[in-house]
Amino acid sequence: MKFSFRPVEGAFYELFTKAASNLVKGTELLNELALPGVDVQSVADRLSDVEHDSDSITHELYKKINSTFITPFDREDIYSLGSQLDDVMDHLEAAGNLLYLYGLTDLPSLPREMHELVTVLDQQAKITAEAMPRLRSMKNLEDYWIEVNRLENDGDRAYRMLLVRLFSGEYDALTVLKMKEVVDELEAACDAFEHVANTVETIAVKES
């Protein structure tokens, strides 16, 4: 394998930024599923396309790690950050596809708490995308991971209230089982955003 003896810093940061931008696309597509008259299959297909693009970005990142002699920061941290960004996208795509496959968008309305959870994810995605370019300088990142952690707490509260509603008797048992799978994917995405932020904090502390 051919190795580069100079750090390809720009390439790494660009890949992180692309991966985070895809997360914004993912949460925006989840928001579309709540719109009246939406073409659910089209949204689910586009979400899958974004997830495939994210996979390609992750594979390119791994190849760059293996072919670069000197990396801008620890290889293990680069690998972890890339993997965790990909994990978020996997959970977003799974939630959207389950909503489509289970026909849950045919319900008169989705629970308000589910919309609240998607809103939290959208906020996490946007501030993550804004933070990734700042990895290059390792400056002005603390507010990012603090806010992601705060939003994760908001997501946890929405998740708990959603579980209460699901098991309140408002929905039939089969619908509850289907919704629970979707909700668990949304909550996992919320946690995965926090894992990304924690890794960024670890990197920033090491590089300070």
Side-chain angles (χ1 to χ4, degrees):
M1 183 177 291
K2 183 179 178 181
F3 283 85
S4 168
F5 286 85
R6 296 178 61 188
V8 192
E9 295 191 9
F12 284 111
Y13 300 130
E14 287 167 13
L15 290 170
F16 288 139
T17 299
K18 285 181 183 178
S21 296
N22 271 354
L23 299 181
V24 176
K25 294 177 185 177
T27 56
E28 288 176 345
L29 285 168
L30 284 181
N31 272 316
E32 276 190 42
L33 288 171
L35 299 175
V38 67
D39 184 339
V40 181
Q41 182 173 357
S42 171
V43 173
D45 288 345
R46 281 181 284 147
L47 196 50
S48 292
D49 289 342
V50 175
E51 193 272 334
H52 293 325
D53 186 44
S54 291
D55 282 344
S56 297
I57 292 169
T58 304
H59 293 149
E60 187 176 349
L61 179 69
Y62 293 165
K63 285 172 60 179
K64 194 70 68 179
I65 294 171
N66 293 329
S67 62
T68 303
F69 188 70
I70 302 173
T71 55
F73 45 89
D74 286 353
R75 291 172 190 275
E76 182 180 342
D77 291 331
I78 293 174
Y79 182 90
S80 293
L81 183 55
S83 177
Q84 288 163 359
L85 287 165
D86 191 51
D87 286 345
V88 179
M89 191 67 242
D90 287 343
H91 291 304
L92 296 178
E93 192 261 349
N97 270 275
L98 287 171
L99 275 168
Y100 164 60
L101 293 171
Y102 284 158
L104 292 173
T105 51
D106 293 334
L107 293 171
S109 65
L110 292 171
R112 173 178 54 81
E113 295 84 359
M114 186 177 288
H115 294 300
E116 291 174 356
L117 195 45
V118 172
T119 297
V120 167
L121 290 169
D122 193 50
Q123 292 172 329
Q124 286 181 310
K126 285 181 169 63
I127 64 172
T128 299
E130 290 168 1
M132 287 302 109
R134 300 202 295 272
L135 280 171
R136 190 186 295 266
S137 66
M138 293 295 171
K139 294 179 180 177
N140 304 315
L141 285 166
E142 184 175 359
D143 287 347
Y144 152 67
W145 64 67
I146 289 173
E147 181 63 6
V148 168
N149 289 334
R150 186 193 69 77
L151 286 167
E152 195 275 334
N153 290 332
D154 288 348
D156 278 347
R157 282 192 289 272
Y159 173 73
R160 288 193 294 267
M161 294 307 297
L162 184 46
L163 291 182
V164 169
R165 183 167 182 180
L166 288 182
F167 294 107
S168 68
E170 180 178 347
Y171 301 97
D172 64 81
L174 184 57
T175 299
V176 169
L177 289 174
K178 292 175 179 179
M179 277 198 189
K180 178 67 164 53
E181 280 196 54
V182 175
V183 171
D184 285 346
E185 289 292 348
L186 294 175
E187 199 267 340
C190 199
D191 286 345
F193 269 119
E194 185 178 39
H195 297 158
V196 170
N198 290 342
T199 295
V200 169
E201 181 179 8
T202 296
I203 293 168
V205 169
K206 286 182 180 179
E207 296 299 312
S208 63

